[in-house]
Amino acid sequence: MAKIGYHASHEQFTPSELLKYVQRAERVGFTHALSSDHFHPWGETQGQSGFAWSWLGAAMQATPSLSYRVVCAPGQRYHPTIIAQAAATLAEMFPDRFWITVGSGQALNEHITGEKWPSKGDRNARLKECVDIMRALWAGETVNHDGLVCVEEAKLYTRPATNPLIIGAAVTAKTAEWLGSWADGLITISRPPDKLKQVVDAFRRGGGEGKPMLLKVQLSYDRTDDLARQKAHEQWRNNIFENILMTELQTPAQFDAAGQFVTPEELDQHIRISSNPQQHIEWLQQDIELGFEELLLHNVNREQEQFIDVFGEKVLPAFTQKPLSSVR
């Protein structure tokens, strides 16, 4: 059976709110959590951008049964030696509960350093360099590297007994095929089944056959379909554009300018909008049939407690044999 996780959206909620939400999610039966790592939100109305790495230490201590993943872009805002050290520390403190997911990033977060924002090809090459550096540090090597990133005489002294997996993030089939050969697994976002299958097939074709596949499921649940669509539009209309736009815009204000032309009805191709828990179950079963073993649910509206409680009662039991505790 697939593992069902809760997405902690640092762009939308304060770290203290998110801590309460993952504790609530743990109590109702979620088994995993995914954390976004942003410097900026996707729009001014989202309004938050807590530091994921600080929050992860607190969250993992507060929810001992949850395993965590974080989406990160080493190479510009973060030097890979620092991410290697941060991930190693969490993996040493919380054995076998933490994986890192890596991507080439968005200008929205990375341009703040004032450095040139590279082309997609250079960003991919830089990401692979970063992954190789991180793995060498986790292996106890002294690393020197002169490339798109530079490292001089770096050695990581605090290392975990088991290294975290490095899961590659892909939105397009082309990127999925490329990372199939070197990543430990795949993470992508939900979309119509035919498009999602293209990404899955490309990842397997590139060398990912048999590796774990994770899916960030973007959904909006509320008491009625109209409410779910309206509240998704308020919070997540800036996040449905093609990847070429998502990676190049630099500020929340620019995303707001693009998002003003998106109608609520246009969200249906990008966000699973439904007030019917059974419909969400059917969508998730389709994901499992494609081969995804972790489904990380992001309710994109602000009604998090309602979402956690309803899905804990009506959705999670369809994917687990464990008895679920009630919300305290």
Side-chain angles (χ1 to χ4, degrees):
M1 302 299 289
K3 306 174 183 72
I4 310 295
Y6 171 79
H7 178 67
S9 178
H10 284 278
E11 307 96 309
Q12 296 175 277
F13 303 99
T14 65
S16 55
E17 288 177 302
L18 288 176
L19 188 60
K20 294 177 183 177
Y21 294 153
V22 291
Q23 289 175 309
R24 194 180 192 98
E26 180 188 43
R27 289 197 295 268
V28 305
F30 285 88
T31 60
H32 289 65
L34 173 68
S35 174
S36 51
D37 178 14
H38 271 228
F39 191 86
H40 289 135
W42 295 104
E44 295 291 340
T45 58
Q46 291 180 355
Q48 298 295 330
S49 59
F51 187 54
W53 293 93
S54 299
W55 179 85
L56 279 165
M60 294 182 78
Q61 180 67 26
T63 54
S65 71
L66 295 188
S67 293
Y68 280 76
R69 288 76 176 95
V70 64
V71 183
C72 180
Q76 188 156 329
R77 179 168 46 120
Y78 294 126
H79 196 276
T81 58
I82 301 304
I83 295 302
Q85 184 184 33
T89 295
L90 287 174
E92 193 281 332
M93 293 173 67
F94 307 106
D96 301 317
R97 290 178 54 202
F98 179 72
W99 294 352
I100 182 171
T101 75
V102 297
S104 58
Q106 302 99 10
L108 175 69
N109 301 304
E110 311 307 322
H111 86 281
I112 62 169
T113 64
E115 300 173 60
K116 174 187 175 183
W117 181 236
S119 67
K120 174 61 172 172
D122 285 346
R123 295 201 308 273
N124 280 355
R126 183 176 66 181
L127 176 62
K128 182 58 167 58
E129 286 186 21
C130 290
V131 168
D132 291 342
I133 289 165
M134 292 163 59
R135 285 174 169 157
L137 288 168
W138 292 342
E141 299 177 21
T142 297
V143 177
N144 290 279
H145 182 82
D146 186 9
L148 294 172
V149 293
C150 295
V151 183
E152 184 174 341
E153 294 295 317
K155 182 177 179 180
L156 196 59
Y157 283 84
T158 296
R159 304 190 304 274
T162 303
N163 294 333
L165 295 188
I166 298 179
I167 306 298
V171 175
T172 66
K174 182 178 179 180
T175 299
E177 184 170 0
W178 168 68
L179 63 82
S181 64
W182 58 263
D184 295 320
L186 167 74
I187 186 169
T188 189
I189 59 173
S190 56
R191 67 202 77 183
D194 57 333
K195 294 184 178 180
L196 196 56
K197 187 176 186 302
Q198 292 174 17
V199 173
V200 168
D201 290 346
F203 175 68
R204 289 171 171 163
R205 185 169 61 246
E209 188 71 46
K211 296 179 180 180
M213 296 193 300
L214 289 60
L215 182 67
K216 179 179 180 280
V217 177
Q218 300 185 148
L219 65 93
S220 186
Y221 170 81
D222 210 321
R223 296 185 303 277
T224 69
D225 289 358
D226 287 343
L227 280 173
R229 184 171 289 102
Q230 171 196 330
K231 293 177 181 180
H233 187 255
E234 291 169 358
Q235 281 288 297
W236 215 249
R237 65 179 179 271
N238 295 356
N239 301 66
I240 68 168
F241 306 117
E242 293 294 329
N243 199 48
I244 190 172
L245 184 63
M246 296 293 289
T247 58
E248 298 300 324
L249 297 183
Q250 294 190 350
T251 67
Q254 289 175 350
F255 275 94
D256 281 337
Q260 67 180 317
F261 300 104
V262 176
T263 67
E265 291 70 29
E266 289 179 275
L267 299 181
D268 288 340
Q269 288 297 308
H270 307 274
I271 299 170
R272 297 175 180 179
I273 298 172
S274 178
S275 59
N276 182 357
Q278 183 58 40
Q279 175 63 76
H280 288 283
I281 290 172
E282 292 173 7
W283 279 325
L284 295 173
Q285 287 174 334
Q286 291 177 352
D287 301 329
I288 294 171
E289 290 170 3
L290 283 173
F292 289 98
E293 63 180 58
E294 285 189 24
L295 307 175
L296 301 149
L297 311 189
H298 179 195
N299 183 48
V300 303
N301 65 55
R302 299 192 63 83
E303 308 300 333
Q304 297 300 297
E305 292 184 354
Q306 173 183 254
F307 159 69
I308 292 168
D309 293 352
V310 171
F311 273 58
E313 178 184 358
K314 298 183 178 180
V315 175
L316 298 188
F319 303 97
T320 178
Q321 302 302 315
K322 294 181 180 179
L324 302 179
S325 60
S326 59
V327 176
R328 295 190 294 272

